[in-house]
Amino acid sequence: MISVNGLIINALKSIGAIGEEEVPGGYYQNAALHELNSLCTELNLEDYISECRKEKFVTTTGTVTIGNSDNFDIKEELVPDSIKVVARKVGNRYLRLIKCDKATIYARNRASLPTLYTYGQEYDENEHCMKGVIFTDGGTSATLLVIYNKKLPEYTIDDELWLSDMTVNLIEEGLKYRLAVRFKMPDAPIFEDGFNDYKRLVQNVNGQNNPMTYENLVGGSYLDNYYDCLGGVGF
């Protein structure tokens, strides 16, 4: 855990924008806060912040709604920007749905179990808030696994970052580079190299601990038919 203010001060000192005993003024503070929020959104969309990954199980027909309301299928204060995986329960397994456009879904017979999906955001007039909508080609009830990255809040100077040390270090490296570019520091390429090196490190660690790969789960073992029978696939 680190405060947003502390992270900004560390980054500004590292690039030489302020002295060791100096407190950043309003201009530096506001610029750094803007860059920090933009950076966090970018890293989250690129799957670098593993703490944001969420898995939810929903039983529904046709659509799944996500937003800040108890009337939605999945309650989230902030609507996620994208959905990583939607998979349908088939016996004792979950098989991934294929992402496509709405026109393709409308062209299909929607009287069966879902195999395709698309995702978008829209305003809900009844709840008076934005919501995310996962739209499938299914017309019968099914249990779905939804995997997405929870959207990070818009941080203020008084907030704290409750993230792992590795993620905080990544954000700090990225903030140094962004601020060096913004303030036209001659050492910006050096900070860029440091940021890219740390991104590779985080990718390696995430790949070892919890790889963010979303391949289609299609089995591939000669025992699949046996396990399908035990799991009730097709029934």
Side-chain angles (χ1 to χ4, degrees):
M1 184 275 294
I2 188 174
S3 68
V4 170
N5 189 45
L7 184 66
I8 287 174
I9 291 174
N10 290 343
L12 289 171
K13 287 181 179 179
S14 295
I15 66 171
I18 61 174
E20 283 298 320
E21 303 300 327
E22 188 178 354
V23 177
Y27 170 71
Y28 281 128
Q29 199 175 67
N30 292 334
L33 189 61
H34 172 77
E35 294 294 345
L36 173 66
N37 281 305
S38 177
L39 173 65
C40 287
T41 298
E42 178 182 310
L43 291 175
N44 193 23
L45 286 172
E46 293 176 349
D47 282 340
Y48 283 100
I49 306 179
S50 60
E51 298 93 321
C52 289
R53 182 193 288 190
K54 298 294 180 183
E55 300 176 0
K56 300 290 185 179
F57 296 89
V58 180
T59 300
T60 186
T61 302
T63 61
V64 178
T65 53
I66 309 173
N68 191 19
S69 171
D70 292 330
N71 293 323
F72 296 150
D73 297 307
I74 299 174
K75 186 173 182 179
E76 284 287 356
E77 185 176 351
L78 300 173
V79 179
D81 291 312
S82 65
I83 300 296
K84 301 300 180 181
V85 168
V86 178
R88 173 170 57 86
K89 187 175 184 181
V90 182
N92 59 355
R93 299 186 297 171
Y94 283 85
L95 301 185
R96 182 181 173 183
L97 275 60
I98 299 172
K99 186 180 292 185
C100 66
D101 62 283
K102 264 192 175 182
T104 301
I105 291 178
Y106 279 124
R108 295 173 63 90
N109 182 349
R110 300 185 62 230
S112 61
L113 292 168
T115 58
L116 306 174
Y117 82 97
T118 188
Y119 176 72
Q121 298 184 24
E122 61 186 50
Y123 183 76
D124 190 292
E125 295 183 355
N126 294 323
E127 301 298 328
H128 305 290
C129 64
M130 292 296 295
K131 67 180 178 182
V133 180
I134 299 171
F135 184 67
T136 77
D137 63 337
T140 59
S141 179
T143 299
L144 302 177
L145 164 65
V146 181
I147 302 177
Y148 58 94
N149 287 345
K150 181 179 179 179
K151 193 170 183 178
L152 289 169
E154 190 82 7
Y155 291 112
T156 67
I157 201 67
D158 298 319
D159 287 336
E160 295 177 337
L161 289 173
W162 291 94
L163 299 169
S164 69
D165 291 342
M166 182 181 70
T167 301
V168 169
N169 290 336
L170 173 64
I171 293 172
E172 185 171 336
E173 291 297 323
L175 187 57
K176 291 177 190 177
Y177 168 57
R178 282 182 169 238
L179 292 176
V181 172
R182 186 181 184 110
F183 299 136
K184 298 180 174 57
M185 297 291 184
D187 291 336
I190 297 176
F191 292 111
E192 181 181 16
D193 290 340
F195 180 39
N196 288 332
D197 287 344
Y198 212 92
K199 286 174 75 175
R200 284 190 287 271
L201 172 64
V202 172
Q203 281 181 325
N204 290 336
V205 172
N206 285 340
Q208 294 170 10
N209 294 338
N210 190 13
M212 293 187 180
T213 54
Y214 306 110
E215 289 85 357
N216 202 353
L217 306 180
V218 294
S221 167
Y222 72 95
L223 293 173
D224 278 355
N225 290 335
Y226 172 72
Y227 288 123
D228 283 349
C229 180
L230 289 180
V233 175
F235 295 90

